[in-house]
Amino acid sequence: MFSKILIANRGEIAVRIIRACNDLNIQSVAIYSRVDKDGLHVKMASEAHEISEDPLAGYLDAQKIIDMAKMSGAEAIHPGYGFLSENAHFAQKVVEAGLVWIGPSSDVIAKMGDKNVARTLMKKNGIPIVPGTETLNNESMHTIKLYAKQMGYPVILKASSGGGGRGIRVVYKEEDLEDSFNACKREALTFFKNDDVFMEKYIQNPKHIEFQILADNYGNTIHLLERDCSIQRRHQKLIEIAPSPSMNKDLRRKMGVVAVAAAKAAGYSNAGTVEFLLDEDNRFYFMEMNTRIQVEHGVTEEITGFDLISRQIRIASGEILDIAQSDVLNIGYAIEVRINAEDVRNDFVPSPGKITAYYPSLGPFVRVDSCIYKDFVIPPYYDSMVAKLIVRGLSYDLAVRKLSRALREFKIRGIHTTIPFLINICEDKEFKKGLFDTSFLEKKIQDLIPKEEHDVSDVVAAIAAAIAVRAGM
């Protein structure tokens, strides 16, 4: 087992990895940019080192991170999610430097990171994929339009190296195809330095189902059930549920077998996620494989009892996976909501700033993964997620009610958050019944945005202050 690990990340996921290191009696090394000097991960780690004055440059500088790891005596690097976590070149450089990369091999990251390569690999191995094309960059617009016509509109254009909802355009009619294709290329080049774009048939109103994979370095591969990530805004997940409240055991078994087969076809090791689209007729299609830990890994941990971050570290250290597929059982349902620092009534614009009060939810089977605290100043340079609230109940209905209660108790003041919006989702009849797909928010979002943001505790405080003033008169 490792004695020291460097965490090449920040925020909530860095805190989560530090906690796993503490559980395993491993020292942790945090890195931070100048604006992150007061970050919780900096305070919690065994040691912390400033890596850059620039808010982003240090977290994206592979060589600087590797040099910091060697200087600190770390034996391994955990990339978390985001930043360089799916950068095959970084993973390779880590290994070449004599360190251990906590994740799949650089070859696997490269294969799965190129959606076209991944699709081709899956097709060769009998994994169902959505009908689509190879890279279209060398094709004429006339040919691209012919492909779209053969598939039938709507179609979806995707960046081959895309992720996080970037580099995606849905096209419903031919006259919009060229502009959408060019816009997709520009966005792909901006975010991924690769403007390769391909096209698929757009599956309308599917469910987004993903299976958590664990695999050791010796070919042992299992799945830890599925998560339903259908509730999204602009291709960004907001709520994740494990297991899916609308899937039966037979479909779960079939998809799980295919997910494991997909991971084995890729030669996968460590923790990863195989993502599928599930249509209205329960036909499922491979969409992509994420070669890192997911933001939503906590719901899988809650229903299975397995610590995924600890498992990542143990697998990377050379341990044999000691879990068989038959050992994986779910205990009820878990739901995660991402609490973002955003003003929902102002088109979800980010809301950085100083947190003047912080009261996270408590109670049985309520978990909060976060990196904030009272007086912490949220910088404007990073993703707007400030906390993940995860609840578990023996039934889906109980989990939803527990989530609603926990959200109402959760107080973050000084900034706008998405908590009132999430409370409204909990009250939606279709959400309560588990009847939703990826079109859920597209259809309902205007009705779910709170008209006013009332905080009951603030109202009570105002009344008490008014009474006190009157009594003193």
Side-chain angles (χ1 to χ4, degrees), residues 153-224:
Y153 287 91
V155 296
I156 184 167
L157 297 164
K158 292 182 178 181
S160 293
S161 300
R166 302 288 188 181
I168 292 177
R169 293 290 187 281
V170 178
V171 185
Y172 290 90
K173 50 189 178 180
E174 184 176 291
E175 48 264 44
D176 296 334
L177 185 60
E178 185 168 2
D179 287 346
S180 296
F181 179 73
N182 291 329
C184 194
K185 284 179 61 180
R186 287 194 300 271
E187 189 168 300
L189 188 62
T190 299
F191 287 96
F192 312 114
K193 311 304 180 189
N194 177 358
D195 68 350
D196 286 349
V197 171
F198 68 101
M199 182 166 56
E200 290 179 341
K201 172 66 181 171
Y202 182 57
I203 308 297
Q204 296 194 72
N205 305 331
K207 295 181 185 300
H208 183 143
I209 305 293
E210 61 186 31
F211 275 75
Q212 177 66 56
I213 296 295
L214 268 186
D216 64 19
N217 300 327
Y218 314 103
N220 301 303
T221 307
I222 63 170
H223 71 79
L224 272 65

Side-chain angles (χ1 to χ4, degrees), residues 195-256:
D195 68 350
D196 286 349
V197 171
F198 68 101
M199 182 166 56
E200 290 179 341
K201 172 66 181 171
Y202 182 57
I203 308 297
Q204 296 194 72
N205 305 331
K207 295 181 185 300
H208 183 143
I209 305 293
E210 61 186 31
F211 275 75
Q212 177 66 56
I213 296 295
L214 268 186
D216 64 19
N217 300 327
Y218 314 103
N220 301 303
T221 307
I222 63 170
H223 71 79
L224 272 65
L225 305 176
E226 86 281 3
R227 300 183 286 254
D228 191 321
C229 305
S230 300
I231 297 183
Q232 307 173 5
R233 176 179 175 270
R234 296 178 180 173
H235 305 290
Q236 294 278 7
K237 302 168 187 173
L238 297 183
I239 299 177
E240 299 95 6
I241 303 161
S244 171
S246 61
M247 280 178 58
N248 59 44
K249 290 182 179 179
D250 185 54
L251 181 58
R252 178 171 295 117
R253 181 187 59 78
K254 290 178 181 176
M255 293 184 72

Side-chain angles (χ1 to χ4, degrees), residues 365-396:
F365 309 114
V366 175
R367 165 178 165 181
V368 176
D369 286 9
S370 182
C371 61
I372 60 173
Y373 53 88
K374 183 180 179 296
D375 295 329
F376 178 72
V377 178
I378 299 172
Y381 310 105
Y382 309 109
D383 183 87
S384 60
M385 188 180 76
V386 295
K388 302 184 309 191
L389 173 61
I390 306 168
V391 302
R392 178 166 65 84
L394 289 178
S395 67
Y396 176 68

Side-chain angles (χ1 to χ4, degrees), residues 257-387:
V257 168
V258 172
V260 169
K264 287 185 174 182
Y268 203 86
S269 63
N270 214 269
T273 308
V274 180
E275 305 203 3
F276 297 99
L277 294 178
L278 178 67
D279 71 15
E280 297 174 338
D281 298 316
N282 280 343
R283 291 176 300 206
F284 57 92
Y285 309 92
F286 172 86
M287 183 169 59
E288 63 183 0
M289 187 168 193
N290 286 304
T291 55
R292 53 172 167 77
I293 197 69
Q294 294 276 83
V295 177
E296 58 271 22
H297 71 274
V299 288
T300 297
E301 293 179 327
E302 292 302 310
I303 66 164
T304 64
F306 296 116
D307 182 330
L308 290 174
I309 305 294
S310 292
R311 288 285 171 176
Q312 283 191 289
I313 294 169
R314 291 170 58 183
I315 288 169
S317 73
E319 285 192 15
I320 296 174
L321 189 64
D322 60 353
I323 312 167
Q325 192 63 63
S326 58
D327 296 326
V328 180
L329 304 171
N330 70 289
I331 306 168
Y333 288 82
I335 307 175
E336 172 186 292
V337 294
R338 305 186 188 194
I339 297 174
N340 297 333
E342 295 172 356
D343 184 353
V344 296
R345 286 174 303 283
N346 188 19
D347 198 28
F348 293 81
V349 67
S351 177
K354 184 177 181 179
I355 295 172
T356 57
Y358 178 60
Y359 305 102
S361 305
L362 298 171
F365 309 114
V366 175
R367 165 178 165 181
V368 176
D369 286 9
S370 182
C371 61
I372 60 173
Y373 53 88
K374 183 180 179 296
D375 295 329
F376 178 72
V377 178
I378 299 172
Y381 310 105
Y382 309 109
D383 183 87
S384 60
M385 188 180 76
V386 295

Side-chain angles (χ1 to χ4, degrees), residues 23-140:
D23 289 345
L24 294 170
N25 198 30
I26 298 171
Q27 289 188 302
S28 54
V29 181
I31 59 172
Y32 62 95
S33 68
R34 182 70 54 86
V35 297
D36 268 340
K37 62 181 172 50
D38 295 320
L40 192 57
H41 74 294
V42 176
K43 298 175 183 294
M44 289 179 61
S46 305
E47 61 187 86
H49 304 278
E50 181 178 310
I51 198 162
S52 175
E53 292 184 14
D54 184 276
L56 292 171
Y59 297 117
L60 297 172
D61 191 327
Q63 190 57 54
K64 211 169 192 180
I65 292 170
I66 290 168
D67 291 343
M68 190 74 74
K70 298 184 80 170
M71 180 274 294
S72 66
E75 301 147 281
I77 292 179
H78 196 307
Y81 55 71
F83 292 125
L84 295 174
S85 62
E86 293 181 282
N87 186 301
H89 179 63
F90 179 42
Q92 182 61 34
K93 283 174 70 73
V94 168
V95 174
E96 289 174 352
L99 302 169
V100 177
W101 170 259
I102 300 177
S105 71
S106 59
D107 287 343
V108 170
I109 294 173
K111 280 190 297 188
M112 295 296 99
D114 187 314
K115 290 183 173 61
N116 255 308
V117 173
R119 279 169 50 84
T120 300
L121 178 64
M122 294 303 137
K123 188 175 181 179
K124 285 181 179 177
N125 284 273
I127 309 298
I129 63 172
V130 178
T133 70
E134 301 295 325
T135 301
L136 295 170
N137 290 43
N138 295 324
E139 302 286 358
S140 68

